[in-house]
C-alpha cells in the first residue's frame, strides 16, 4: 500500500478551493475530491508495516485546532514551476500535530522526513504554464482566504497512482480531543 497521512478538508473548503481552479493554460488541476493537506508522506508499505503505522498513529494525543488556508503559492525545482497550492498558516496546533506524527513514525522505525514541513493544499501541477499567466493568477488571488475551520481528526490515506489523477482512499480517521 502507498500511504500518507493528511488532513481531509470539509466540503465547503473544497468548494472554495475548486473556485480557484481554472484559467491557467497548461495547468493540470487536481480533482476537487483529491484536495488534502499532507502531514507526512509514508510511501509503499507492506501490510504488517501498515498495521504498525496504524498503531503509532492511534497512540497520538493532540488537541483540535483551527486551520487557516491563505493565498496561493507555487513550488519550484531547478527554476521550473512544479505545482500550485494554497498555503496553510503554520499555526502551533498544526505544527504540533505534524511533529507528533513525525515522531510517532520515526519511533515505529520510519526514516525521518528530510524536507521542512511547508503546509499546503496542492491545487494543480504545472506542466507548461506560461510564467506571466502564473504571476497574474497569483496576484489576482493574493487576498484569497478561507474562513478558519476546526480540525477534529487526521486521516491515513492510501493512494493508487493513476494516469490522469491519483485515487486517494481514506483508510482510518484519528480523532483529536481537547
Ligand atoms: O500533498 P501534496 O499534493 O503536495 O506529491 C505527493 C502529495 O503531495 C506527495 O505526497 C502527497 C500525497 O500523495 N508525494 C508523493 N511521492 C512522494 C515522495 N516520494 C511524496 N512526498 C514525498 N516523497
Amino acid at each position: 500500500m502507498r500511504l500518507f497521512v493528511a488532513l481531509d478538508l470539509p466540503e465547503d473548503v473544497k468548494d472554495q478551493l475548486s473556485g480557484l481552479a481554472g484559467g491557467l493554460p497548461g495547468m493540470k488541476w487536481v480533482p476537487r475530491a483529491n484536495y488534502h493537506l499532507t502531514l507526512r508522506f509514508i510511501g509503499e508499505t507492506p501490510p504488517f508495516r501498515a498495521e504498525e503505522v496504524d498503531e503509532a498513529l492511534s497512540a497520538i494525543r493532540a488537541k483540535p485546532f483551527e486551520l487557516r488556508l491563505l493565498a496561493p503559492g507555487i513550488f519550484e525545482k531547478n527554476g521550473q514551476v512544479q505545482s500550485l497550492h494554497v498555503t496553510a498558516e503554520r499555526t502551533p496546533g498544526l505544527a504540533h500535530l505534524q511533529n507528533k506524527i513525525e515522531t510517532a513514525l520515526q519511533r515505529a522505525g520510519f526514516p525521518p522526513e528530510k524536507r521542512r514541513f511547508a503546509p499546503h493544499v496542492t491545487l494543480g501541477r504545472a506542466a507548461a504554464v506560461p510564467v506571466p499567466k502564473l504571476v497574474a493568477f497569483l496576484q489576482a488571488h493574493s487576498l484569497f482566504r478561507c474562513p478558519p475551520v476546526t480540525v477534529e481528526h487526521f486521516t491515513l490515506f492510501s493512494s493508487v497512482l493513476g494516469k490522469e489523477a491519483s485515487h486517494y482512499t481514506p483508510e482510518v480517521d484519528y480523532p483529536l480531543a481537547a
Side-chain angles (χ1 to χ4, degrees):
M1 282 178 123
R2 196 179 155 85
L3 298 176
F4 66 98
V5 185
L7 300 180
D8 203 355
L9 300 168
E11 293 304 315
D12 57 326
V13 170
K14 289 185 182 176
D15 284 343
Q16 291 177 61
L17 297 182
S18 67
L20 290 172
L24 274 180
M27 181 65 71
K28 208 173 143 213
W29 297 101
V30 170
R32 180 190 178 286
N34 278 5
Y35 292 153
H36 63 272
L37 187 155
T38 301
L39 296 165
R40 174 61 141 89
F41 180 77
I42 299 175
E44 209 53 56
T45 314
F48 79 97
R49 289 292 276 154
E51 278 181 32
E52 289 169 2
V53 167
D54 177 46
E55 276 170 30
L57 297 178
S58 301
I60 289 176
R61 299 286 167 264
K63 290 181 181 151
F65 61 90
E66 299 274 283
L67 176 69
R68 295 196 197 94
L69 296 178
L70 312 171
I74 52 170
F75 287 137
E76 289 175 73
K77 198 173 167 188
N78 305 326
Q80 295 272 43
V81 178
Q82 299 282 301
S83 60
L84 173 70
H85 60 263
V86 290
T87 311
E89 195 179 322
R90 207 171 183 283
T91 55
L94 177 58
H96 178 73
L97 176 61
Q98 187 269 337
N99 199 267
K100 286 235 158 175
I101 292 168
E102 181 61 35
T103 306
L105 291 174
Q106 284 185 28
R107 279 210 199 109
F110 288 86
E113 169 63 66
K114 291 192 198 86
R115 294 188 293 187
R116 185 177 185 272
F117 180 49
H120 65 274
V121 179
T122 301
L123 297 178
R125 317 249 169 223
V129 182
V131 171
K133 290 220 186 282
L134 198 51
V135 170
F137 180 93
L138 295 176
Q139 281 174 351
H141 296 292
S142 63
L143 297 179
F144 176 85
R145 298 280 182 279
C146 277
V149 285
T150 307
V151 176
E152 293 181 300
H153 67 271
F154 64 98
T155 304
L156 178 64
F157 283 90
S158 63
S159 109
V160 177
L161 300 179
K163 233 187 190 173
E164 283 306 308
S166 299
H167 185 76
Y168 301 147
T169 306
E171 299 288 346
V172 191
D173 281 342
Y174 303 92
L176 303 175

